[in-house]
Amino acid sequence: MKEFNQYINGRFVKSTSTEVTKVINPCTEEVLSLIPKGSVVDANNALDAAQASQKGWRSLPAIERANYLNKMASIIRENRVFLAETLADEQAKVIGLAQVEIDVTADYFDYNAGWARRIEGEIIQSDRQKEHIFLHKSPIGVAVGILPWNFPFFVMARKVAPSLVTGNTCVIKPSCVAPNTVMEFVKLIENIELPAGVLNFVLGSGPVVGNALTKSPITGIVSLTGSVFAGQKIMEAASQNITKVSLELGGKAPAIVCADANLDLAVNAIVSSKVIFSGQVCNCAERVYVEESIHDEFMERVAKKMSEVKVEDAFSGNNPDMSSMVSKDQMEKVAEMVEFAKKEGAEVVVGGTRSSQFDKGFFYQPTLLTNVKQNMQIIQEEVFGPVLPVMKFNTLDEAIALANDSEFGLTSSIFSENFNKVMHASQELDFGETYINREHFEAIQGFHAGWKKSGLGGADGKHGMQEYLQTKVVYAQYK
Ligand code: NAD
């Protein structure tokens, strides 16, 4: 069994707290590692180190900062199999998908390194003679990144890479549920000679370590990927020092399937989106609206496809579609939501219970629900599991209204072969992301941002990188 320590000011140090959290393999329920339940002192030590290294780091040419990101990318590629296995082990991500996450993370570091020579300001015309108005883009200072368990490695890069290239120093708080891959990465990059204090990792709970990192006056920006609830807590804590927040939160993605859709494509995309990583993906289809005239055929095909989903151990050589859910808590939450939906009148077409074929682990069956109504919990709240509720619609505007009737605004999708319909929907859907004739995943050069309760600000691409910059105006008068 492994043990991980805090990484503060360029070295691994023991937490000032002696309490520990066990990290569990969700398929086998064995304990994989022990991590400290970090303390407020740990959080503050990491912030002090990040602050002390700030001046030196921001004064380096951006291209030198970028070189470190390229080194991180190379190290990830050199250790890609080990990292993927660690990830699959700690969160039951099917090994093929775990490998994709590792490989995309390496690309993410390289992509952000590419911004080094492209961070630009502006020169604005003055109303005065002999004056230039310069807009400079400056780092914010110390950036705090708080990670979820579902894509813990990729989301780590989403915080670290844009922070460092723009000249911020950084403190990362991994999720207690899946911290191992991130901490193995920290060990691997120990020898790249990153200046001490530039990048720190503090393990511990959200309410203790996450809260301390958020409310400190040292912190310049907090970027969270997680639930709406954690986002609300972070906004409260950040209000103390008017600290900037960037929040990527939960979703309840609608998929609209029109009668003129390519049905094979729609069925395959929606089912695979729902079962990939057991539905624990923020932008996977969480509810489907299907046009009445094709409803029965759609349900028949989805039911067949969902019954054929291969559910196995994350390391199975049988190329499974999904594995265990990440934890007992997560599985029980999904089971409770399905039971509640049944009480409210939903009918189970496929699945609807925990998988009985496994002695160990937290496996839940791919589940298809019908007879659901717009006001039910299963349509309004994020399930974050392999559960697909389906409703009918008659007109596209009705479908758009149902899709928009949600407090979330992260992702949406529409399936239709009619250009006018998809363009209309893409403008009318109140979501930060709309996919036409496909489901997630997002591109690293795009912009991943939730509307409404799904978030504030966003990540990826040029606009995600710019989250970590602040603007200074210099009025330069000369004779
Ligand atoms: P979570 O909110 O339980 O935890 C996320 C992180 O926030 C953890 O590191 C946790 O320790 C920390 N945290 C919790 N309370 C805190 C507090 N008071 N102060 C500071 N930090 C605190 O979320 P999770 O269960 O790890 O992840 C699943 C959620 O994340 C889902 O809702 C999912 O939709 C969302 N998510 C969103 C995106 C996106 O890009 N929008 C991506 C992945 C996951």
Side-chain angles (χ1 to χ4, degrees):
M1 190 182 15
K2 298 210 168 183
E3 282 186 40
F4 294 105
N5 285 317
Q6 314 292 32
Y7 186 76
I8 298 174
N9 207 18
R11 56 198 187 91
F12 282 99
V13 289
K14 288 239 178 269
S15 169
T16 58
S17 146
T18 50
E19 285 183 82
V20 291
T21 302
K22 291 175 183 165
V23 179
I24 308 284
N25 176 328
C27 288
T28 62
E29 298 183 39
E30 70 182 293
V31 181
L32 292 171
S33 66
L34 297 179
I35 59 163
K37 271 191 193 157
S39 64
V40 173
V41 175
D42 298 342
N44 288 335
N45 287 344
L47 289 172
D48 287 343
Q51 188 181 39
S53 62
Q54 227 297 291
K55 222 171 168 186
W57 182 247
R58 71 191 287 159
S59 67
L60 284 183
I63 195 67
E64 285 185 33
R65 298 195 297 261
N67 288 341
Y68 289 102
L69 301 191
N70 293 132
K71 282 187 200 165
M72 291 178 194
S74 303
I75 286 174
I76 292 171
R77 291 195 183 99
E78 281 159 24
N79 296 279
R80 61 187 288 278
V81 173
F82 164 67
L83 290 168
E85 286 173 357
T86 309
L87 189 60
D89 241 357
E90 67 176 327
Q91 52 161 202
K93 190 168 272 162
V94 165
I95 186 71
L97 180 62
Q99 193 63 71
V100 171
E101 180 172 343
I102 301 300
D103 294 346
V104 173
T105 304
D107 291 349
Y108 204 87
F109 277 109
D110 278 342
Y111 169 78
N112 275 274
W115 278 111
R117 291 196 173 102
R118 297 184 179 86
I119 300 170
E120 294 171 350
E122 289 174 33
I123 303 170
I124 296 172
Q125 289 295 322
S126 173
D127 293 344
R128 297 170 176 235
Q129 279 195 348
K130 297 207 168 187
E131 183 179 74
H132 291 309
I133 304 176
F134 298 112
L135 276 190
H136 289 272
K137 293 289 177 183
S138 310
I140 298 175
V142 173
V144 165
I146 301 184
L147 312 184
W149 50 258
N150 70 334
F151 287 90
F153 198 60
F154 174 70
V155 175
M156 177 272 299
R158 240 186 194 164
K159 316 289 185 204
V160 170
S163 299
L164 295 192
V165 77
T166 49
N168 299 279
T169 51
C170 197
V171 179
I172 295 292
K173 191 199 89 60
S175 159
C176 304
V177 180
N180 288 1
T181 316
V182 169
M183 296 314 291
E184 293 290 3
F185 166 74
V186 182
K187 283 197 206 161
L188 291 169
I189 61 165
E190 252 199 304
N191 296 328
I192 65 170
E193 288 168 10
L194 192 66
V198 165
L199 184 55
N200 309 274
F201 291 79
V202 189
L203 295 156
S205 77
V208 176
V209 170
N211 179 266
L213 292 173
T214 304
K215 70 179 187 200
S216 165
I218 291 177
T219 302
I221 173 172
V222 182
S223 174
L224 162 78
T225 302
S227 60
V228 172
F229 179 75
Q232 288 164 333
K233 291 285 165 204
I234 280 173
M235 279 187 94
E236 268 171 48
S239 71
Q240 208 157 308
N241 293 298
I242 317 292
T243 302
K244 180 174 179 183
V245 293
S246 177
L247 305 173
E248 286 140 45
L249 308 177
K252 187 71 193 170
I256 297 175
V257 185
C258 299
D260 56 18
N262 175 333
L263 212 52
D264 279 340
L265 184 143
V267 168
N268 287 340
I270 291 169
V271 173
S272 112
S273 143
K274 189 68 284 191
V275 301
I276 197 166
F277 195 35
S278 309
Q280 302 167 122
V281 180
C282 63
N283 52 7
C284 66
E286 277 260 332
R287 52 195 167 119
V288 180
Y289 299 103
V290 57
E291 198 160 345
E292 175 140 34
S293 60
I294 56 158
H295 172 268
D296 293 354
E297 188 184 353
F298 177 83
M299 286 301 280
E300 213 173 285
R301 290 205 204 183
V302 172
K304 179 167 185 296
K305 189 121 192 102
M306 281 193 109
S307 323
E308 290 166 358
V309 165
K310 276 186 277 174
V311 186
E312 290 183 27
D313 181 276
F315 283 90
S316 162
N318 207 7
N319 199 16
D321 301 301
M322 63 178 244
S323 184
S324 165
M325 304 209 61
V326 78
S327 64
K328 188 161 182 274
D329 283 355
Q330 196 60 28
M331 183 194 67
E332 284 174 352
K333 180 200 141 193
V334 170
E336 273 167 28
M337 286 185 83
V338 170
E339 284 310 308
F340 191 69
K342 279 163 47 184
K343 276 199 196 118
E344 287 191 305
E347 211 177 285
V348 174
V349 182
V350 176
T353 55
R354 189 177 176 167
S355 300
S356 53
Q357 80 218 62
F358 303 94
D359 304 336
K360 289 262 162 68
F362 316 116
F363 294 82
Y364 195 84
Q365 292 182 323
T367 295
L368 178 62
L369 299 178
T370 190
N371 261 352
V372 287
K373 296 204 171 53
Q374 184 66 15
N375 60 358
M376 287 185 182
Q377 181 202 46
I378 205 83
I379 289 286
Q380 293 294 337
E381 291 180 21
E382 186 181 47
V383 179
F384 227 50
V387 178
L388 198 61
V390 181
M391 282 177 60
K392 295 177 194 169
F393 70 86
N394 286 303
T395 67
L396 180 56
D397 281 334
E398 181 197 351
I400 293 169
L402 290 166
N404 286 344
D405 172 30
S406 170
E407 60 182 23
F408 296 100
L410 185 58
T411 303
S412 51
S413 63
I414 173 157
F415 293 84
S416 164
E417 295 295 294
N418 182 310
F419 178 74
N420 293 321
K421 279 190 190 170
V422 295
M423 288 313 294
H424 173 67
S426 69
Q427 295 308 300
E428 296 300 319
L429 286 163
D430 293 337
F431 295 81
E433 261 170 21
T434 297
Y435 293 87
I436 298 173
N437 291 323
R438 80 165 176 98
E439 286 292 331
H440 61 84
F441 288 106
E442 62 272 21
I444 59 182
Q445 69 275 34
F447 186 54
H448 182 58
W451 292 7
K452 302 191 207 167
K453 276 194 182 171
S454 291
L456 203 57
D460 306 340
K462 177 168 108 182
H463 300 283
M465 180 272 294
Q466 287 177 343
E467 291 273 287
Y468 293 89
L469 292 168
Q470 56 191 349
T471 305
K472 164 175 278 197
V473 187
V474 175
Y475 295 90
Q477 182 85 57
Y478 61 98
K479 289 192 179 147

